[in-house]
Amino acid sequence: MRLGTRMLQRLPLYLRVLRGMGHEGVRYASGAAIAAALGLDPIVVRKDLARTGVRGTPRLGFPIDRLIPELERLTGADAEMTAVLAGVGKLGSALLCYPGFRRQGLFIAAGFDAAPERCNIILSGTPIFPVGTLTETAQRLGATLGILTVPAERAQRVAEQMVAGGVRALWNFTPAQLEVPDDVLVQREDLAVSLAVLLHRIRERNQ
Amino acid sequence: MRLGTRMLQRLPLYLRVLRGMGHEGVRYASGAAIAAALGLDPIVVRKDLARTGVRGTPRLGFPIDRLIPELERLTGADAEMTAVLAGVGKLGSALLCYPGFRRQGLFIAAGFDAAPERCNIILSGTPIFPVGTLTETAQRLGATLGILTVPAERAQRVAEQMVAGGVRALWNFTPAQLEVPDDVLVQREDLAVSLAVLLHRIRERNQ
C-alpha cells in the first residue's frame, strides 16, 4: 500500500502515544484523544486510523491492542530490516544505543570503525568490526541498509564498500554528497539544514 | 526577508560547496557547477543565488568570496544566537562537538546534565553545569535557544526550566511532546519519523 509521506511521519507518533497509553493500562483510545496528545487535527488522525482497517467502538474508541499491530504493519515494523553502521564515534554510538529503532523493525547487525581501539568490542549488543571487513560482513549478514556516521571525507569510500556488500539504501548522517548507482536509495539527515530552518524561524518571529 | 523553507534548506548546502571550492583555490563558481555538485536543478540554484544580490560574470560565474558572506547573511549566520544544551549523553556530546553549528551562527554557551560526573567539566570548549542551575545560567547568558537531548521523561521539566530562563525556542531531540507557552517555538528532530519514511521508501522500491 502506498502511503503519503505526511501520514508515514505520523505513524510512529501514533505508535508512541498508543504504547504509552497501553503501559498505563488504557484499553481504548479515541481519535480525538490521540490527536490531542500529539497536537494534531482530529480529522486527519481519524482518516489515518481508518487506513488500519481497525474499527472503533462508539464512545470507547479504538482497541489499543489491535491498533498497535496494524500500525506496525503499515510502518513495516513487522518485517525486520538488517542494517550495518559505519563510524562508531559519538553520533554512531548514540544511534547504536537508541532502543527505538529495533521496535521500528530496524536491526543494526554490526558496526564498523577505522580506529582499532573501537573495534572487536560489543557496544549496546552490537559487535564492532574493523572497517576493512565491511563489504564482506555486510554481504554475509544480508544487510539492506547502510548507516553512515563517519567523517565526511570518508563517506564516499565507505558508501562504496557498503554498496559492494549488497546494501541498497544509505542513511547518510554526514554532510558528504554521495555518488552511488541510481538504484541505491540515499536519505540525508542533515542537522545543518534543520538548524538553518530553525534559526530563520526564530529570527523571523523576533522581527 | 521571508524565505521559503525549501530555499532555506538549500542555503547551507550552497555554503558547504562554495567553502569547499574556496579551500581548493577556486575563485568563481557557476550556478550550473553548484547545481551539479549538489544534484539540484540549475534553474532553482540560479534563482536562489539571485536572491543574494551578487551578480555573476558571464562565462566565469559568481565570485565565491562575495557569494559566501551574502549567503551567510541570508541564513542569519552573521548574527550569533546563544543556546544552552541539556543532556550531555551520547547525542548531546555529539552536538556539542559538531564544529558546523558555530559557522551557522549558533553558539552553545553551556551544557547541563543531571549526572554529577558529567558536570563541572569543559567538553569541546563548552562548560557543563548541574541541571539545577539551568534557569539561572540561561538567563545570565541571554540564551535564546534551548537544545533538548535529555531522556524523554525529563524533557518537559527541563523545557520549563529553559523557558523560565528566557529561552524562546526549543530544538527538541527527544520523542516527548512538549507543552510550552504559545510564543515559544518548538522544532522536533525525530529520528523515528525519518526512519519510518526511509524504511517505507526501501520496501516500496523492493515491491
Side-chain angles (χ1 to χ4, degrees):
Chain A
M1 173 163 26
R2 195 180 186 99
L3 305 176
T5 303
R6 297 267 172 190
M7 176 178 171
L8 263 173
Q9 292 176 328
R10 289 188 293 267
L11 295 181
L13 306 179
Y14 298 150
L15 278 166
R16 203 174 274 153
V17 166
L18 290 168
R19 286 189 188 117
M21 289 175 163
H23 285 160
E24 286 166 19
V26 178
R27 289 182 52 211
Y28 288 84
S30 68
I34 299 170
L38 291 166
L40 293 174
D41 180 346
I43 297 168
V44 170
V45 173
R46 265 190 290 267
K47 226 165 141 183
D48 287 346
L49 296 183
R51 298 287 292 270
T52 61
V54 176
R55 296 272 289 279
T57 308
R59 277 194 294 267
L60 275 173
F62 296 91
I64 291 180
D65 61 346
R66 291 194 45 221
L67 203 49
I68 288 177
E70 286 305 318
L71 285 168
E72 283 176 342
R73 201 183 47 75
L74 280 182
T75 61
D78 55 336
E80 201 167 68
M81 189 163 300
T82 301
V84 288
L85 177 146
V88 189
K90 289 196 181 66
L91 180 59
S93 312
L95 296 183
L96 281 180
C97 299
Y98 181 63
F101 290 156
R102 191 69 182 259
R103 217 162 38 199
Q104 285 188 265
L106 181 72
F107 170 51
I108 306 181
F112 298 88
D113 205 281
E117 68 273 18
R118 286 193 196 141
C119 296
N120 302 313
I121 56 162
I122 307 278
L123 188 63
S124 192
T126 310
I128 314 298
F129 301 112
V131 72
T133 66
L134 204 173
T135 298
E136 182 199 328
T137 311
Q139 201 149 33
R140 185 164 46 77
L141 295 168
T144 310
L145 174 67
I147 305 172
L148 283 166
T149 46
V150 293
E153 62 274 18
R154 292 203 188 142
Q156 178 62 35
R157 173 145 171 65
V158 171
E160 287 165 13
Q161 290 172 290
M162 285 179 168
V163 171
V167 160
R168 310 316 294 150
L170 296 168
W171 201 6
N172 182 14
F173 285 81
T174 83
Q177 199 71 24
L178 302 176
E179 285 177 35
V180 290
D182 283 345
D183 60 340
V184 175
L185 205 152
V186 179
Q187 181 161 302
R188 279 179 80 163
E189 220 58 56
D190 195 328
L191 284 183
V193 169
S194 297
L195 178 60
V197 173
L198 175 60
L199 294 180
H200 189 75
R201 286 174 69 198
I202 298 172
R203 291 198 174 94
E204 251 207 336
R205 212 206 22 200
N206 290 348
Q207 271 162 15
Chain B
M1 172 166 23
R2 194 179 187 99
L3 305 176
T5 303
R6 297 266 173 188
M7 178 180 171
L8 263 173
Q9 292 176 327
R10 290 187 293 267
L11 295 179
L13 306 179
Y14 298 150
L15 279 165
R16 201 174 274 152
V17 165
L18 290 167
R19 287 190 187 116
M21 288 175 164
H23 285 160
E24 287 166 19
V26 178
R27 289 181 52 212
Y28 288 85
S30 67
I34 298 169
L38 290 167
L40 293 173
D41 181 346
I43 296 168
V44 170
V45 173
R46 266 190 290 267
K47 225 164 144 185
D48 286 346
L49 296 182
R51 298 286 293 270
T52 62
V54 177
R55 296 273 289 277
T57 308
R59 275 193 295 268
L60 276 173
F62 297 90
I64 290 180
D65 61 346
R66 291 195 45 224
L67 203 48
I68 288 177
E70 286 305 319
L71 285 168
E72 284 176 341
R73 201 183 45 76
L74 279 183
T75 60
D78 56 336
E80 202 166 68
M81 189 163 299
T82 301
V84 288
L85 178 146
V88 190
K90 290 194 181 69
L91 180 59
S93 312
L95 296 183
L96 282 179
C97 298
Y98 180 63
F101 290 156
R102 192 69 182 259
R103 215 160 41 198
Q104 285 187 265
L106 181 72
F107 170 50
I108 306 180
F112 298 88
D113 205 282
E117 68 272 19
R118 287 193 195 141
C119 296
N120 302 312
I121 56 163
I122 309 277
L123 188 65
S124 191
T126 310
I128 314 298
F129 302 112
V131 73
T133 67
L134 204 172
T135 299
E136 182 199 328
T137 311
Q139 201 149 32
R140 185 165 44 78
L141 295 167
T144 310
L145 175 66
I147 305 172
L148 283 167
T149 46
V150 293
E153 61 275 17
R154 293 204 187 140
Q156 178 62 34
R157 172 145 174 67
V158 172
E160 286 165 14
Q161 290 173 290
M162 286 180 168
V163 171
V167 159
R168 308 316 294 149
L170 296 167
W171 200 6
N172 182 14
F173 285 82
T174 82
Q177 199 71 25
L178 302 175
E179 284 176 36
V180 291
D182 282 345
D183 60 340
V184 174
L185 206 151
V186 179
Q187 181 161 304
R188 278 179 81 163
E189 220 58 56
D190 194 329
L191 284 183
V193 169
S194 298
L195 178 61
V197 173
L198 175 60
L199 293 181
H200 189 74
R201 285 174 69 199
I202 298 172
R203 291 198 173 93
E204 249 205 339
R205 211 206 24 199
N206 289 348
Q207 269 161 17

mmCIF file of all heavy atoms in Angstrom, chain A residues 74-102:
data_model
loop_
_atom_site.group_PDB
_atom_site.id
_atom_site.type_symbol
_atom_site.label_atom_id
_atom_site.label_comp_id
_atom_site.label_asym_id
_atom_site.label_seq_id
_atom_site.Cartn_x
_atom_site.Cartn_y
_atom_site.Cartn_z
ATOM 1 N N LEU A 74 1.629 -1.291 8.942
ATOM 2 C CA LEU A 74 1.667 -0.190 7.969
ATOM 3 C C LEU A 74 3.061 0.433 7.887
ATOM 4 O O LEU A 74 3.524 0.801 6.814
ATOM 5 C CB LEU A 74 0.651 0.901 8.339
ATOM 6 C CG LEU A 74 -0.810 0.668 7.967
ATOM 7 C CD1 LEU A 74 -1.630 1.880 8.376
ATOM 8 C CD2 LEU A 74 -0.966 0.419 6.470
ATOM 9 N N THR A 75 3.727 0.581 9.040
ATOM 10 C CA THR A 75 5.066 1.184 9.021
ATOM 11 C C THR A 75 6.121 0.170 8.585
ATOM 12 O O THR A 75 7.262 0.541 8.351
ATOM 13 C CB THR A 75 5.502 1.704 10.414
ATOM 14 O OG1 THR A 75 5.533 0.607 11.319
ATOM 15 C CG2 THR A 75 4.582 2.769 10.942
ATOM 16 N N GLY A 76 5.721 -1.096 8.502
ATOM 17 C CA GLY A 76 6.682 -2.113 8.088
ATOM 18 C C GLY A 76 7.516 -2.625 9.237
ATOM 19 O O GLY A 76 8.489 -3.349 9.025
ATOM 20 N N ALA A 77 7.158 -2.267 10.470
ATOM 21 C CA ALA A 77 7.963 -2.667 11.631
ATOM 22 C C ALA A 77 7.844 -4.157 11.904
ATOM 23 O O ALA A 77 8.597 -4.707 12.687
ATOM 24 C CB ALA A 77 7.539 -1.875 12.866
ATOM 25 N N ASP A 78 6.881 -4.842 11.229
ATOM 26 C CA ASP A 78 6.711 -6.279 11.465
ATOM 27 C C ASP A 78 7.702 -7.109 10.640
ATOM 28 O O ASP A 78 7.898 -8.282 10.899
ATOM 29 C CB ASP A 78 5.271 -6.707 11.166
ATOM 30 C CG ASP A 78 4.850 -6.325 9.750
ATOM 31 O OD1 ASP A 78 5.447 -5.385 9.191
ATOM 32 O OD2 ASP A 78 3.952 -6.966 9.197
ATOM 33 N N ALA A 79 8.317 -6.474 9.623
ATOM 34 C CA ALA A 79 9.295 -7.192 8.794
ATOM 35 C C ALA A 79 10.661 -6.568 9.020
ATOM 36 O O ALA A 79 10.913 -5.452 8.583
ATOM 37 C CB ALA A 79 8.912 -7.085 7.319
ATOM 38 N N GLU A 80 11.521 -7.262 9.734
ATOM 39 C CA GLU A 80 12.799 -6.689 10.144
ATOM 40 C C GLU A 80 13.709 -6.392 8.950
ATOM 41 O O GLU A 80 13.781 -7.173 8.006
ATOM 42 C CB GLU A 80 13.491 -7.650 11.108
ATOM 43 C CG GLU A 80 14.523 -6.964 11.954
ATOM 44 C CD GLU A 80 14.962 -7.863 13.099
ATOM 45 O OE1 GLU A 80 15.599 -8.888 12.837
ATOM 46 O OE2 GLU A 80 14.640 -7.524 14.246
ATOM 47 N N MET A 81 14.415 -5.259 9.026
ATOM 48 C CA MET A 81 15.394 -4.907 8.013
ATOM 49 C C MET A 81 16.770 -4.860 8.680
ATOM 50 O O MET A 81 16.923 -4.276 9.744
ATOM 51 C CB MET A 81 15.053 -3.551 7.407
ATOM 52 C CG MET A 81 15.918 -3.243 6.207
ATOM 53 S SD MET A 81 15.243 -1.913 5.194
ATOM 54 C CE MET A 81 13.658 -2.550 4.710
ATOM 55 N N THR A 82 17.734 -5.494 8.012
ATOM 56 C CA THR A 82 19.077 -5.572 8.588
ATOM 57 C C THR A 82 19.938 -4.422 8.084
ATOM 58 O O THR A 82 19.957 -4.123 6.888
ATOM 59 C CB THR A 82 19.729 -6.920 8.215
ATOM 60 O OG1 THR A 82 18.901 -7.964 8.716
ATOM 61 C CG2 THR A 82 21.119 -7.046 8.812
ATOM 62 N N ALA A 83 20.648 -3.786 9.012
ATOM 63 C CA ALA A 83 21.492 -2.646 8.656
ATOM 64 C C ALA A 83 22.899 -2.836 9.209
ATOM 65 O O ALA A 83 23.111 -3.595 10.160
ATOM 66 C CB ALA A 83 20.896 -1.363 9.214
ATOM 67 N N VAL A 84 23.859 -2.155 8.592
ATOM 68 C CA VAL A 84 25.201 -2.017 9.168
ATOM 69 C C VAL A 84 25.462 -0.524 9.359
ATOM 70 O O VAL A 84 24.898 0.302 8.636
ATOM 71 C CB VAL A 84 26.289 -2.635 8.252
ATOM 72 C CG1 VAL A 84 26.204 -4.153 8.289
ATOM 73 C CG2 VAL A 84 26.187 -2.120 6.827
ATOM 74 N N LEU A 85 26.275 -0.193 10.333
ATOM 75 C CA LEU A 85 26.579 1.204 10.644
ATOM 76 C C LEU A 85 28.089 1.412 10.609
ATOM 77 O O LEU A 85 28.839 0.626 11.196
ATOM 78 C CB LEU A 85 26.015 1.555 12.024
ATOM 79 C CG LEU A 85 26.282 2.964 12.568
ATOM 80 C CD1 LEU A 85 25.083 3.434 13.409
ATOM 81 C CD2 LEU A 85 27.543 3.030 13.422
ATOM 82 N N ALA A 86 28.534 2.446 9.902
ATOM 83 C CA ALA A 86 29.971 2.723 9.861
ATOM 84 C C ALA A 86 30.251 4.060 10.530
ATOM 85 O O ALA A 86 29.593 5.066 10.228
ATOM 86 C CB ALA A 86 30.475 2.736 8.423
ATOM 87 N N GLY A 87 31.240 4.043 11.452
ATOM 88 C CA GLY A 87 31.608 5.262 12.165
ATOM 89 C C GLY A 87 31.047 5.246 13.575
ATOM 90 O O GLY A 87 29.968 5.791 13.820
ATOM 91 N N VAL A 88 31.775 4.612 14.518
ATOM 92 C CA VAL A 88 31.257 4.457 15.877
ATOM 93 C C VAL A 88 31.816 5.564 16.773
ATOM 94 O O VAL A 88 32.410 5.311 17.814
ATOM 95 C CB VAL A 88 31.558 3.030 16.398
ATOM 96 C CG1 VAL A 88 30.840 2.780 17.702
ATOM 97 C CG2 VAL A 88 31.124 1.990 15.371
ATOM 98 N N GLY A 89 31.684 6.813 16.337
ATOM 99 C CA GLY A 89 32.028 7.961 17.169
ATOM 100 C C GLY A 89 30.842 8.300 18.051
ATOM 101 O O GLY A 89 30.032 7.434 18.380
ATOM 102 N N LYS A 90 30.730 9.585 18.430
ATOM 103 C CA LYS A 90 29.650 9.980 19.346
ATOM 104 C C LYS A 90 28.278 9.737 18.733
ATOM 105 O O LYS A 90 27.421 9.136 19.350
ATOM 106 C CB LYS A 90 29.812 11.454 19.715
ATOM 107 C CG LYS A 90 31.006 11.688 20.626
ATOM 108 C CD LYS A 90 30.927 13.039 21.283
ATOM 109 C CE LYS A 90 32.135 13.260 22.170
ATOM 110 N NZ LYS A 90 33.399 13.333 21.376
ATOM 111 N N LEU A 91 28.085 10.234 17.500
ATOM 112 C CA LEU A 91 26.773 10.086 16.884
ATOM 113 C C LEU A 91 26.477 8.625 16.581
ATOM 114 O O LEU A 91 25.377 8.133 16.862
ATOM 115 C CB LEU A 91 26.704 10.936 15.603
ATOM 116 C CG LEU A 91 25.385 10.873 14.848
ATOM 117 C CD1 LEU A 91 24.217 11.327 15.711
ATOM 118 C CD2 LEU A 91 25.454 11.714 13.572
ATOM 119 N N GLY A 92 27.470 7.908 16.021
ATOM 120 C CA GLY A 92 27.288 6.489 15.721
ATOM 121 C C GLY A 92 26.922 5.691 16.960
ATOM 122 O O GLY A 92 25.999 4.869 16.931
ATOM 123 N N SER A 93 27.618 5.952 18.079
ATOM 124 C CA SER A 93 27.298 5.244 19.329
ATOM 125 C C SER A 93 25.891 5.589 19.782
ATOM 126 O O SER A 93 25.157 4.724 20.267
ATOM 127 C CB SER A 93 28.262 5.634 20.450
ATOM 128 O OG SER A 93 29.580 5.578 20.025
ATOM 129 N N ALA A 94 25.525 6.866 19.656
ATOM 130 C CA ALA A 94 24.182 7.279 20.068
ATOM 131 C C ALA A 94 23.135 6.491 19.282
ATOM 132 O O ALA A 94 22.147 6.014 19.848
ATOM 133 C CB ALA A 94 23.986 8.777 19.861
ATOM 134 N N LEU A 95 23.351 6.322 17.978
ATOM 135 C CA LEU A 95 22.382 5.583 17.157
ATOM 136 C C LEU A 95 22.353 4.107 17.549
ATOM 137 O O LEU A 95 21.291 3.496 17.629
ATOM 138 C CB LEU A 95 22.711 5.732 15.669
ATOM 139 C CG LEU A 95 22.622 7.150 15.098
ATOM 140 C CD1 LEU A 95 22.902 7.133 13.601
ATOM 141 C CD2 LEU A 95 21.251 7.770 15.340
ATOM 142 N N LEU A 96 23.534 3.531 17.793
ATOM 143 C CA LEU A 96 23.593 2.109 18.176
ATOM 144 C C LEU A 96 22.856 1.866 19.489
ATOM 145 O O LEU A 96 22.275 0.808 19.692
ATOM 146 C CB LEU A 96 25.046 1.655 18.340
ATOM 147 C CG LEU A 96 25.811 1.345 17.060
ATOM 148 C CD1 LEU A 96 27.232 0.921 17.394
ATOM 149 C CD2 LEU A 96 25.119 0.247 16.255
ATOM 150 N N CYS A 97 22.906 2.843 20.384
ATOM 151 C CA CYS A 97 22.308 2.664 21.708
ATOM 152 C C CYS A 97 20.839 3.069 21.750
ATOM 153 O O CYS A 97 20.183 2.917 22.780
ATOM 154 C CB CYS A 97 23.082 3.471 22.750
ATOM 155 S SG CYS A 97 24.792 2.939 22.882
ATOM 156 N N TYR A 98 20.311 3.604 20.653
ATOM 157 C CA TYR A 98 18.923 4.078 20.648
ATOM 158 C C TYR A 98 17.964 2.881 20.609
ATOM 159 O O TYR A 98 17.962 2.115 19.647
ATOM 160 C CB TYR A 98 18.704 4.981 19.436
ATOM 161 C CG TYR A 98 17.312 5.545 19.327
ATOM 162 C CD1 TYR A 98 16.809 6.391 20.299
ATOM 163 C CD2 TYR A 98 16.496 5.229 18.253
ATOM 164 C CE1 TYR A 98 15.529 6.895 20.208
ATOM 165 C CE2 TYR A 98 15.214 5.734 18.143
ATOM 166 C CZ TYR A 98 14.739 6.564 19.127
ATOM 167 O OH TYR A 98 13.465 7.059 19.029
ATOM 168 N N PRO A 99 17.155 2.699 21.657
ATOM 169 C CA PRO A 99 16.349 1.480 21.722
ATOM 170 C C PRO A 99 15.167 1.463 20.751
ATOM 171 O O PRO A 99 14.635 0.417 20.431
ATOM 172 C CB PRO A 99 15.850 1.474 23.174
ATOM 173 C CG PRO A 99 15.845 2.914 23.583
ATOM 174 C CD PRO A 99 16.923 3.593 22.806
ATOM 175 N N GLY A 100 14.776 2.639 20.251
ATOM 176 C CA GLY A 100 13.555 2.721 19.445
ATOM 177 C C GLY A 100 13.649 2.086 18.067
ATOM 178 O O GLY A 100 12.640 1.644 17.517
ATOM 179 N N PHE A 101 14.860 2.023 17.490
ATOM 180 C CA PHE A 101 14.986 1.523 16.116
ATOM 181 C C PHE A 101 14.501 0.086 15.995
ATOM 182 O O PHE A 101 13.819 -0.274 15.044
ATOM 183 C CB PHE A 101 16.438 1.614 15.635
ATOM 184 C CG PHE A 101 16.906 3.019 15.400
ATOM 185 C CD1 PHE A 101 18.261 3.332 15.448
ATOM 186 C CD2 PHE A 101 16.012 4.032 15.100
ATOM 187 C CE1 PHE A 101 18.705 4.620 15.214
ATOM 188 C CE2 PHE A 101 16.452 5.337 14.871
ATOM 189 C CZ PHE A 101 17.804 5.624 14.924
ATOM 190 N N ARG A 102 14.884 -0.752 16.968
ATOM 191 C CA ARG A 102 14.530 -2.164 16.909
ATOM 192 C C ARG A 102 13.012 -2.338 16.829
ATOM 193 O O ARG A 102 12.497 -3.173 16.087
ATOM 194 C CB ARG A 102 15.111 -2.870 18.147
ATOM 195 C CG ARG A 102 15.052 -4.389 18.077
ATOM 196 C CD ARG A 102 16.034 -4.869 17.010
ATOM 197 N NE ARG A 102 16.018 -6.303 16.836
ATOM 198 C CZ ARG A 102 16.932 -7.126 17.352
ATOM 199 N NH1 ARG A 102 17.903 -6.661 18.091
ATOM 200 N NH2 ARG A 102 16.864 -8.417 17.104
#
